[in-house]
Amino acid sequence: MVRSTSDERREQVIEAAVKEFAAHGFHATSTTAIAERAGISQPYIYALFPNKHELFLAAHAFVVDHIRGAFTEAARGLETPEERLEAMGHAYMELLGNRDEILFQMQAHAAAGDPALRESVRAEFIRLIDDVRRLSGVPAADVTSFIAKGMLLNVAAALELPDEFVSPPED
């Protein structure tokens, strides 16, 4: 039997946490449910993370880093700011297929009502906006529109709305 390293276990726990927090939110998710999903004992979670807040923030960073990585890869090698932003938009459309990560994003924004989570969730969001600006090179107003459309797409994906609600009407 091959034993997992603590880094591999940590990643398994984070992936399980994303799914559990996506389904139940921060307050209703138990570390016991996360441990069961990850196939570990509940006390082992506390060997990896000091508390549930830190686990949630690690899961949040995991999801945002996944988005950031997709944007970075999409923008790589493209010449104009508009091309880079468009490619990043296409990359985000692919990410919308991961329902757990979309629902987790929604739960993270809702969890920002918790003072112990608010600043970290806020800082990650600001950092992602700054990354979109830096990676694309488009003006701030275009970044704002890009992020706004992404938020609309998140809601549409979470609610499983038909495409007609997020696509511009045909002329």
Side-chain angles (χ1 to χ4, degrees):
M1 178 170 115
V2 177
R3 292 179 52 106
S4 297
T5 67
S6 64
D7 286 343
E8 290 169 333
R9 279 289 191 205
R10 183 178 168 84
E11 188 170 321
Q12 285 176 310
V13 170
I14 288 171
E15 289 173 1
V18 167
K19 291 178 182 308
E20 288 297 321
F21 288 130
H24 307 290
F26 175 74
H27 292 289
T29 296
S30 71
T31 55
T32 300
I34 294 168
E36 287 174 4
R37 183 180 286 273
I40 62 170
S41 68
Q42 192 262 356
Y44 191 62
I45 285 184
Y46 293 103
L48 298 170
F49 300 93
N51 55 50
K52 186 169 120 174
H53 281 84
E54 292 302 319
L55 174 54
F56 184 85
L57 294 174
H60 184 246
F62 175 85
V63 170
V64 176
D65 284 346
H66 188 212
I67 297 166
R68 185 175 291 111
F71 286 172
T72 301
E73 186 59 35
R76 184 172 285 126
L78 298 177
E79 292 190 25
T80 70
E82 293 77 18
E83 288 174 323
R84 290 189 293 270
L85 190 65
E86 183 177 343
M88 291 163 64
H90 289 293
Y92 196 71
M93 294 300 290
E94 294 295 318
L95 296 177
L96 290 171
N98 187 328
R99 186 164 171 76
D100 290 327
E101 289 189 10
I102 294 302
L103 291 173
F104 182 91
Q105 286 181 63
M106 305 291 276
Q107 295 286 8
H109 297 148
D114 183 325
L117 298 172
R118 179 182 303 118
E119 191 51 40
S120 293
V121 171
R122 180 181 178 277
E124 277 293 335
F125 190 72
I126 289 170
R127 201 175 101 179
L128 183 62
I129 292 169
D130 289 344
D131 287 342
V132 170
R133 183 178 300 128
R134 180 183 52 77
L135 288 166
S136 68
V138 299
D142 292 348
V143 173
T144 299
S145 293
F146 179 82
I147 296 296
K149 184 169 184 181
M151 297 301 278
L152 171 62
L153 292 170
N154 283 2
V155 171
L159 297 175
E160 298 178 316
L161 296 179
D163 288 344
E164 68 194 62
F165 287 96
V166 293
S167 298
E170 297 293 324
D171 290 335

